[in-house]
Each structure stands twice: as C-alpha cells, then as structure tokens.
Amino acid sequence: MARRYVIAGNWKMNKTPAEAKALIEELKPMVAGKNGCDIVICVPYVDICTAVEATKGTNIKVGAENVHFAESGAYTGEISAKMLTECGVEYVIIGHSERRQYFAETDETVNLRTKAALAAGLKVILCVGEVKEQRLSGITDEVVSMQTKLDLADVSAEDMKNVIIAYEPVWAIGTGLTATPEQADETCGVIRATLAKMYGQDVADASIIQYGGSMNAKNAAELLAKENVDGGLIGGASLKAPDFTVIVDAAQ
Ligand code: 13P
C-alpha cells in the first residue's frame, strides 16, 4: 500500500519572525520541485503570518505547534483552531511530549484538541511515545496503544484521513539518542495495528505514521526505509535548511 511520506519540522520555541523569514527563504530553493513527499514546517504562533506569506506558491505547508479545544472564550494565552485556519495554517501538532511533560497536557485534553482541530478543517499531527522507564520495563507497546486509543476517542474513520500520528519516543527527543530503525518500525507497526483494531485494516494501511526523535541528515534514510515509517517529525535538524533538505531528499 503506497503511502505518501510527510516530512514535518517542529521548530519548537525557536526563531523570531525575522529569523523565520530568513530560514524559509533559505529552504525554499533547496526543496523546490521535490514533490515526492509533503513538506510541512510547524512554527511558533508569532511566526505563522510570516511563514504563510513566505511559503505562498511553494511546496512548503505551514503548521502550528498546538491549539486550544474551545472555539473562543476566557482562555488567556490560548489560540483557537479557527484563528489558525483563518491565518492560512493547514496542520497542527497536538500532544507533543513537551506539552504533556511541561504543560500538564493529558490524553483527555489531547483528545479534545484533536477533535476541535479536525472540526475546523486542520490536519492533525498527533504525538505519542513512551518514556525511557516504560521502554526499559517492556511496556512500550501498551503505552503507545493506550495513547492512540485515548487520544483518538470519538474520532471517525472519515476524519482519520486528516490525522498523522507521530511516534516520538520521549527518550530520543533532543538527546541525540535515536530509536534504531527496527525499534521505530516495530513501534510504528504497533500503532498501525491499534488503528486496524479501531478502524479496520484499510484505514490503518492508509494512515501516515511518522517517526520523531533525533532524526537527522545522517539517520533519516535508514529510518524512512522502514515499512511502517511514513515520514518524520523533526526538531533540531529542521532549524538548519541544508539538514532538513537532506531529510526531504531521503523521502523522495
Ligand atoms: P529532535 O529532532 O530535536 O530530537 O526533536 C524531535 C521532536 O520532538 C519533534 O517533534
């Protein structure tokens, strides 16, 4: 079953609007015409207008790094899905482990955000992944399967066309430690099997499952070659245009 690779950068809390513009201008010619995969950059809220403007007419799509679940209201500091779509945002990362770890994000709020984003027409990059102690205890499969089920509760099979799952082992994020291609393939396969139980084999086969966690110019090709790895969610290496381009090239 042919699935299209999606290579997405997660800029995290990096780049001012001026720096964002400079990075996008550097990246544009490097990835121009490379249409063998979808290319997405998920940027801080304040960089969204700059990014949407700078990527107009290119093969680079823009995403946000989070979204609130309410349509509007007294949620100081938060941003709604409609605010994002009106700015030209197409994708949004939800449930990143840094949100879960530092901002008290739970599977329940991840699920609420996912449903709100899908209802507004956004494509969701839903992050799941185990922490180091869970991998060492041998419960990785249970953890990612439980997160997948809880985070996608009440999401329809039809809406799954707009959901990408990013498998990000927490111990591999920003640490330089990468899951081996075999580990990435195996756990992405567990997520796919969970989707098959929830939605049937066709939806599972069509779903895009990315790997994230210290993916870089050196290891991307090996990871992307694996059957169940349909792309990458890239932190550090997405901040360097040449490195991000090598990963895009690996997905052609
Ligand atoms: P690094 O690529 O910097 O490890 O970050 C991965 C990540 O968290 C992407 O969402």
Side-chain angles (χ1 to χ4, degrees), residues 10 12 93 96-98 127 168 172-176 212-215 233-237:
N10 174 9
K12 308 192 179 183
I93 297 172
H96 192 280
S97 63
E98 286 149 17
C127 301
E168 298 209 312
I173 295 175
T175 56
S214 300
M215 190 186 266
L233 185 57
I234 299 119

Side-chain angles (χ1 to χ4, degrees), residues 226-248:
K226 288 294 176 189
E227 157 109 35
N228 281 304
V229 179
D230 308 319
L233 185 57
I234 299 119
S238 74
L239 298 171
K240 296 178 201 134
D243 290 34
F244 192 62
T245 303
V246 172
I247 301 172
V248 167

Side-chain angles (χ1 to χ4, degrees), residues 32-122:
K34 295 179 179 171
N35 295 318
C37 66
D38 287 335
I39 304 171
V40 185
I41 51 171
C42 298
V43 305
Y45 290 135
V46 294
D47 294 341
I48 283 172
C49 290
T50 305
V52 167
E53 192 57 36
T55 55
K56 271 204 182 115
T58 74
N59 56 343
I60 304 171
K61 293 162 182 168
V62 175
E65 298 177 12
N66 191 21
V67 64
H68 197 262
F69 42 81
E71 280 181 25
S72 62
Y75 298 101
T76 303
E78 292 294 320
I79 299 285
S80 75
K82 193 170 167 219
M83 291 171 183
L84 295 178
T85 54
E86 202 169 307
C87 289
V89 168
E90 283 182 66
Y91 290 79
V92 62
I93 297 172
I94 296 180
H96 192 280
S97 63
E98 286 149 17
R99 301 289 324 168
R100 295 179 192 253
Q101 196 179 343
Y102 306 134
F103 302 99
E105 201 76 64
T106 63
D107 286 312
E108 191 184 355
T109 57
V110 169
N111 176 246
L112 290 173
R113 285 171 210 267
T114 299
K115 288 187 286 190
L118 290 168
L122 289 163

Side-chain angles (χ1 to χ4, degrees), residues 11-234:
W11 286 10
K12 308 192 179 183
M13 196 174 74
N14 294 289
K15 305 292 175 187
T16 66
E19 291 165 349
K21 169 114 175 95
L23 176 54
I24 293 166
E25 292 306 331
E26 189 187 355
L27 184 64
K28 274 197 302 199
M30 292 184 176
V31 299
K34 295 179 179 171
N35 295 318
C37 66
D38 287 335
I39 304 171
V40 185
I41 51 171
C42 298
V43 305
Y45 290 135
V46 294
D47 294 341
I48 283 172
C49 290
T50 305
V52 167
E53 192 57 36
T55 55
K56 271 204 182 115
T58 74
N59 56 343
I60 304 171
K61 293 162 182 168
V62 175
E65 298 177 12
N66 191 21
V67 64
H68 197 262
F69 42 81
E71 280 181 25
S72 62
Y75 298 101
T76 303
E78 292 294 320
I79 299 285
S80 75
K82 193 170 167 219
M83 291 171 183
L84 295 178
T85 54
E86 202 169 307
C87 289
V89 168
E90 283 182 66
Y91 290 79
V92 62
I93 297 172
I94 296 180
H96 192 280
S97 63
E98 286 149 17
R99 301 289 324 168
R100 295 179 192 253
Q101 196 179 343
Y102 306 134
F103 302 99
E105 201 76 64
T106 63
D107 286 312
E108 191 184 355
T109 57
V110 169
N111 176 246
L112 290 173
R113 285 171 210 267
T114 299
K115 288 187 286 190
L118 290 168
L122 289 163
K123 292 191 172 76
V124 170
I125 301 177
L126 170 66
C127 301
V128 300
E130 81 287 3
V131 300
K132 189 171 154 202
E133 293 71 23
Q134 292 167 331
R135 179 156 283 269
L136 294 176
S137 310
I139 57 169
T140 296
D141 296 2
E142 286 88 341
V143 170
V144 297
S145 161
M146 186 181 74
Q147 287 176 332
T148 302
K149 285 181 191 162
L150 292 173
D151 297 352
L152 291 174
D154 301 321
V155 171
S156 69
E158 182 61 24
D159 273 339
M160 283 306 290
K161 290 183 184 137
N162 291 318
V163 174
I164 293 170
I165 297 186
Y167 166 54
E168 298 209 312
V170 179
W171 49 270
I173 295 175
T175 56
L177 292 174
T178 322
T180 63
E182 290 68 32
Q183 286 172 327
D185 189 42
E186 190 189 337
T187 308
C188 288
V190 168
I191 294 167
R192 202 177 301 288
T194 305
L195 294 179
K197 278 195 205 126
M198 295 170 72
Y199 297 104
Q201 197 62 48
D202 288 354
V203 170
D205 285 342
S207 294
I208 292 162
I209 304 178
Q210 299 173 316
Y211 169 79
S214 300
M215 190 186 266
N216 57 39
K218 288 208 179 83
N219 61 25
E222 245 192 328
L223 287 158
L224 293 171
K226 288 294 176 189
E227 157 109 35
N228 281 304
V229 179
D230 308 319
L233 185 57
I234 299 119

